[in-house]
Amino acid sequence: MDNLRDLYQSVILDHNKSPRNFGNLEDANRSAEGYNPLCGDKLSLQLILDDDECVVDIRFTGMGCAISTASASLMTEYARGKTLSEILETMNRFHELLTGNPNEQGEAEDLGKLAVFSGVREFPARVKCATLSWHTLQAALDDGDKVATTE
Ligand code: ZN
């Protein structure tokens, strides 16, 4: 278990240090801003949703703590190429992973790399850092010009 923990930690640190999909997206047709007042994390998300409700490209910018940055990096990596319904399902699972019953083992495996945030549930104050990018993604997919907040 300690090894797994170390692995999770190193993935989060790596994505914080070298965030994937960081920057602006020229042809974005959806966007949203996210803010987590508890920690001060700010996120701006831009994506392209095609006619088949598939996210063909996605980028983010912003400033936040290591967990929020790594979460946005891993979330964008996950979301690219996924359909709206796949994303909504994973979003629910991810939320359950962070807030639900810690004994439900199967969920973390299904989530692949996103499971690195499973340790965050031991730190309730940081759960919102990890879910901010997903709240923002939901706002962008829902309609567009909204500010998502974790409150
Ligand atoms: Zn944070």
Side-chain angles (χ1 to χ4, degrees), residues 11-51:
V11 171
I12 290 173
L13 292 176
D14 173 50
H15 277 262
N16 176 50
K17 205 174 143 199
S18 329
R20 319 305 197 260
N21 307 310
F22 192 87
N24 288 302
L25 193 56
E26 292 292 312
D27 306 323
N29 57 12
R30 298 293 183 102
S31 66
E33 307 285 320
Y35 178 49
N36 173 16
L38 280 185
C39 181
D41 308 314
K42 281 185 180 163
L43 184 71
S44 177
L45 194 65
Q46 294 178 298
L47 61 92
I48 299 171
L49 192 70
D50 74 7
D51 293 341

Side-chain angles (χ1 to χ4, degrees), residues 36 39 41 65 68 126 129:
N36 173 16
C39 181
D41 308 314
C65 67
S68 71
R126 311 311 298 275
C129 301

